[in-house]
Amino acid sequence: MIELFLLRHGESVWNAEDRYQGQQGTGLSARGRDQAKAAAEYLQSFVFDAIVASDLQRVQETLEPYVGNHDVQVDRRWREIDVGTWSGRTFAEVYAEEPEVVTAFARGEDVARGGGETFRQLRTRVAEAIRELTTTTSSRTRRVLVGTHGGPIRAAAAGVLGLPAGREMVLEAPGNCSLTVLRSDRLVGYNVPTGVER
């Protein structure tokens, strides 16, 4: 059995500016750094067999206060969903220019925002990453910390809950530095705060 602790990154500068990030974006804001420190303290009560993380700056900076001498396996499959040309643009700018796409997405249609990925594509790569983590010969429960983003967390949770692709958005947006816990094929915790109020 495996327990996956999915940690969303702390607030980034673009989060604070209400900008789409996708696979681009900035490092953490001052608030995000405080959230990362609080999350590191919260995580001290757990023992992890492995730490896996997205390669994007905001995740790497979030893990810094916790990681210390731990080895971190970087896995690009845990990156945020690719939102193509929407990256770096504010929510208001995108809505003003592409209201029909924003509306379709809000309705639950699985559209490739900004020419990037669909949630179906995101879910495929996240499911592959999870499958790889669960293939082990160990007879005991393995606990893995995964530093990632809101999109992959929603995709992983939706997959376990059996929601169709595109319906990930019915799930509450994971807060900065929140934890979502999957135990084998069950969702046992979603969007659990780890410290600094988001």
Side-chain angles (χ1 to χ4, degrees), residues 53-97:
S54 159
D55 62 327
L56 298 182
Q57 181 183 2
R58 55 195 184 269
V59 167
Q60 294 294 315
E61 289 183 6
T62 297
L63 288 175
E64 278 176 14
Y66 175 74
V67 170
N69 295 323
H70 297 93
D71 290 328
V72 178
Q73 176 189 337
V74 173
D75 187 341
R76 292 168 54 96
R77 290 173 297 186
W78 288 103
R79 279 183 161 206
E80 182 58 283
I81 192 168
D82 182 2
V83 293
T85 60
W86 288 17
S87 289
R89 296 164 65 194
T90 66
F91 302 159
E93 288 168 347
V94 169
Y95 185 76
E97 294 176 26

Side-chain angles (χ1 to χ4, degrees), residues 172-187:
E172 179 183 11
N176 293 116
C177 281
S178 67
L179 276 177
T180 292
V181 183
L182 306 179
R183 183 176 298 137
S184 294
D185 60 352
R186 290 188 299 126
L187 180 66

Side-chain angles (χ1 to χ4, degrees), residues 12 17 19 43 52 57 60 71 79 81 86 91 115-116 128 132 136 141 149 154 159 161 164 190 192 194:
S12 71
E17 295 175 350
R19 293 183 186 276
L43 293 170
V52 179
Q57 181 183 2
Q60 294 294 315
D71 290 328
R79 279 183 161 206
I81 192 168
W86 288 17
F91 302 159
E128 181 182 273
E132 189 173 294
T136 178
T141 299
H149 308 263
R154 278 176 157 159
L161 294 171
Y190 185 79
V192 178
T194 61

Side-chain angles (χ1 to χ4, degrees), residues 2-8 42-43 46 48 141-146 153 156-157 160-161 178-192 194:
I2 190 166
E3 285 185 325
L4 298 181
F5 283 65
L6 309 180
L7 175 71
R8 189 185 174 210
Y42 182 92
L43 293 170
F46 298 96
F48 295 103
T141 299
R142 291 178 66 241
R143 183 175 283 160
V144 179
L145 176 64
V146 180
I153 291 170
V160 166
L161 294 171
S178 67
L179 276 177
T180 292
V181 183
L182 306 179
R183 183 176 298 137
S184 294
D185 60 352
R186 290 188 299 126
L187 180 66
V188 296
Y190 185 79
N191 201 19
V192 178
T194 61

Side-chain angles (χ1 to χ4, degrees), residues 113-124:
R113 293 169 292 165
E117 286 179 296
T118 62
F119 263 107
R120 184 177 305 281
Q121 292 168 318
L122 172 65
R123 196 183 292 191
T124 297

